Amino acid sequence: REVKKFRKDVDLSFRELNFSFLKKFESYYLEKGLGENGLSVYLRGIRAIFNKAINEKLIEKEAYPFDQYTI
């Protein structure tokens, strides 16, 4: 839900889901006064979806942003 608000209901492609996006989402989330635990729940969900997409060959492993971004 917060990702949809952050994106103003615009769909997000795997290509757009990169380190820069994750940092911007993190800033947005925390600036709203929401907690780090909630942020980590969202990011773990995003990471799980990304991992599934890699396993299903929808995106290549080289695009994986969580090698650089730590939850």
Side-chain angles (χ1 to χ4, degrees):
R1 190 173 83 208
E2 288 300 324
V3 175
K4 285 188 80 164
K5 287 181 190 177
F6 175 63
R7 294 277 300 171
K8 297 177 175 66
D9 285 327
V10 175
D11 289 338
L12 177 68
S13 73
F14 285 109
R15 293 262 174 250
E16 295 172 288
L17 207 164
N18 54 32
F19 178 81
S20 176
F21 171 84
L22 294 173
K23 292 301 286 182
K24 288 176 187 172
F25 177 69
E26 175 185 318
S27 293
Y28 160 84
Y29 192 89
L30 296 176
E31 285 172 8
K32 288 182 66 175
L34 301 170
E36 289 185 11
N37 289 337
L39 175 63
S40 71
V41 169
Y42 277 105
L43 293 174
R44 286 193 312 261
I46 292 170
R47 183 178 60 192
I49 292 167
F50 209 103
N51 285 331
K52 185 171 182 169
I54 290 170
N55 289 337
E56 293 181 8
K57 309 262 189 275
L58 299 174
I59 188 85
E60 62 278 346
K61 176 130 175 75
E62 292 75 30
Y64 188 68
F66 292 96
D67 286 337
Q68 300 165 7
Y69 183 88
T70 304
I71 296 175

